[in-house]
Every structure is written in structure tokens, then in C-alpha cells.
Amino acid sequence: EKAVNLKKDLAEMQEWMTQAEEEYLEKDFEYKSPEELENAVEEMKRAKEDVLQKEVRVKILKDNIKMLATKVPSSGQDLATELNVVLENYQLLCNRIRGKCHTLEEVWSCWIELLQYLDLETAWLNNLEERVQMTENLPDKLDTVNDALESLESVLRHPADNRTQIRELGQTLIDGGILDDIISEKLEAFNARYEELSHLAVSRQIALEQQLQTMRETDHMLQVLQENLAELDRQLTSYLTDRVDAFQMPQEAQ
């Protein structure tokens, strides 16, 4: 009777493993939304816990069959063979579910990381857009234009590491068919805005550099003119002080 019950327990255990494999490992999942992906991660965590909890039952079966084998070798030997099959299948099921759970957790982590990088770069784009707007309608003052140019250049020196991460993370998920529509849409919008603002910012940078160069040249010309006028004023004052007759002066002084 004990052997019959143990045989029944082994059959039930094998049946449960077959059902678990069908439910958790053989279903085709399509992760088209973050909610679907998150639910799949949580489901696989529960599956892993459920499978690992069966370890106690498997150990009890193993101990009971060993005990029976010492008392009734003939019955115990047959059950031991079935037990080995169950143990092998159980270990395989554990490994596969652990592996799938780990993979889904990695995918979810990849998605969260992508969102974080997108948030960082979006904040930078907002800052860049703000700096570009600040360069519009500037007063025609050398210091003001110079400060605006330096401020814009400081933002443009932003490293490209985050954009590289966004591209690689996004491509990894899309290649796996995971959230591909959502990610493609997000990346397309981000890249379009990045290209537009980058080109606009560089154009404004070039324009400010040219404006600054023109203002510096104009300032230099004014300074030279002021120096010449000051020298001429000094000479004329000297002539007047010395009561020099106008016709005795050089032509340019006349």
C-alpha cells in the first residue's frame, strides 16, 4: 500500500511539473506594454517561488522511497527509477524557470534604465532649448553677447554617453520584440527633438561668434579712432597754446 501511494505521489508530482512547464515556459508572451512586461516579471517570480517550494515535497518523496527500498527492495528499486526521472525533470524545471525569471528581470531592468536615460537627456534638451531662447533679442553689448555665447557653449559640451546608452538599450529591447512599438515611438520623438535643437543651437552659436567678432572689430576701430582724435586734440591744443598761425601748420591740421 505504501508503495502504491508513493507511486501515486510521483505521478502527481510529474503531472504538476508538466502543467507548470506548459503554463510558465511554453506560452508565447508578447510584451507590447510596460504593464504586460511588469505582470510577466511578477508572474515568473511567483512561479519560481512555487517551484522551489515543491523542493520540500520532493525531498520527502525521496526519503520515503529510500526508506521503503531498505524494507522492500523490489518495490523500492522500481520507485527509485521513477524517482530519478522525477528528480531530473524537477531540477530541469527549476533551472529553466530560474533562467526565464532572471531574463525577464533583466529585460525589466533594461526598460527602467532606458527611461532613466531618456529622462536625463530630456532634461538636458529642455536646458538647451532654454539657453537657445535666451540668445534671442540680446542687447547690442559685448559682455552680454559674450556671456550668452559662453552659457550656450557650456550646455553644448554635454557628453554623448547617455545617448549611446539610449540607442543600445532601445535596440536591445526592440531586437527582442519587447515594447518595440512604444520604444520606437519614444526614440523617434527624442531623436527628432535632439537633431532639431542641436542644429538650432549650433547655428545660434555660430551667429553669436560672428556677432561677437564684429563687435570686437568695431570696438577696436572705435578705440583707434578715439586715440587718433585724442592725439589730434592734443596737437591742436598745443598749436593754440603756442599761438601758431594756421598757415604754418601741416595741411591735415589746417
Side-chain angles (χ1 to χ4, degrees):
E1 184 180 355
K2 189 173 180 75
V4 172
N5 289 336
L6 287 173
K7 190 176 183 67
K8 181 181 177 183
D9 290 341
L10 285 171
E12 289 177 353
M13 185 67 188
Q14 183 60 58
E15 183 181 356
W16 174 85
M17 287 190 294
T18 300
Q19 290 175 350
E21 186 172 349
E22 291 175 354
E23 182 176 357
Y24 300 126
L25 299 174
E26 294 183 0
K27 286 195 301 186
D28 291 329
F29 292 97
E30 287 190 2
Y31 311 113
K32 295 299 182 183
S33 71
E35 293 75 19
E36 288 179 1
L37 177 58
E38 187 175 19
N39 290 337
V41 172
E42 295 303 317
E43 183 179 359
M44 284 310 301
K45 286 181 179 178
R46 290 192 296 269
K48 185 173 72 170
E49 292 174 2
D50 189 20
V51 170
L52 292 178
Q53 284 174 359
K54 297 294 182 184
E55 187 174 5
V56 176
R57 183 180 177 186
V58 171
K59 188 177 184 305
I60 292 173
L61 272 173
K62 184 178 179 181
D63 292 342
N64 288 338
I65 290 173
K66 281 184 177 181
M67 188 179 298
L68 179 65
T70 59
K71 295 180 179 179
V72 187
S74 58
S75 300
Q77 185 61 41
D78 293 338
L79 289 173
T81 302
E82 292 184 35
L83 174 65
N84 288 335
V85 174
V86 169
L87 290 176
E88 185 178 341
N89 290 341
Y90 175 73
Q91 191 59 52
L92 180 61
L93 179 65
C94 287
N95 292 339
R96 292 181 65 191
I97 286 184
R98 278 198 197 97
K100 185 167 184 178
C101 186
H102 176 72
T103 298
L104 283 176
E105 287 175 331
E106 287 289 312
V107 168
W108 179 253
S109 176
C110 189
W111 163 248
I112 295 300
E113 193 175 2
L114 174 62
L115 292 182
Q116 291 172 343
Y117 278 116
L118 280 172
D119 285 344
L120 287 173
E121 287 305 284
T122 299
W124 173 74
L125 285 176
N126 292 340
N127 189 20
L128 179 62
E129 185 174 28
E130 183 181 342
R131 297 299 176 91
V132 170
Q133 291 173 350
M134 289 171 61
T135 65
E136 299 174 357
N137 303 319
L138 291 173
D140 199 20
K141 295 182 179 180
L142 188 64
D143 290 345
T144 303
V145 175
N146 187 61
D147 290 345
L149 177 59
E150 289 182 352
S151 177
L152 182 59
E153 287 177 336
S154 69
V155 179
L156 283 172
R157 284 192 289 270
H158 184 67
D161 297 351
N162 288 351
R163 293 194 300 280
T164 300
Q165 290 293 329
I166 288 172
R167 183 175 62 254
E168 292 178 353
L169 289 167
Q171 195 60 51
T172 297
L173 291 169
I174 290 172
D175 288 346
I178 299 166
L179 308 180
D180 45 355
D181 291 340
I182 292 175
I183 292 172
S184 295
E185 183 179 340
K186 282 181 175 292
L187 293 186
E188 185 177 347
F190 168 77
N191 289 329
R193 188 178 180 216
Y194 171 78
E195 291 297 327
E196 179 184 1
L197 278 177
S198 295
H199 289 154
L200 179 59
V202 171
S203 297
R204 290 299 301 152
Q205 179 187 20
I206 294 172
L208 288 174
E209 289 172 345
Q210 293 173 343
Q211 182 181 359
L212 197 59
Q213 180 64 25
T214 301
M215 293 176 72
R216 284 172 176 162
E217 290 174 355
T218 302
D219 274 7
H220 178 68
M221 291 171 61
L222 288 173
Q223 183 179 354
V224 171
L225 180 60
Q226 287 175 344
E227 290 174 355
N228 290 339
L229 287 174
E231 176 61 21
L232 179 60
D233 182 65
R234 186 189 65 76
Q235 289 180 358
L236 290 175
T237 301
S238 174
Y239 291 149
L240 290 173
T241 302
D242 295 341
R243 297 180 180 277
V244 177
D245 187 270
F247 292 103
Q248 295 176 337
M249 294 182 185
Q251 185 65 35
E252 65 273 11
Q254 294 182 34

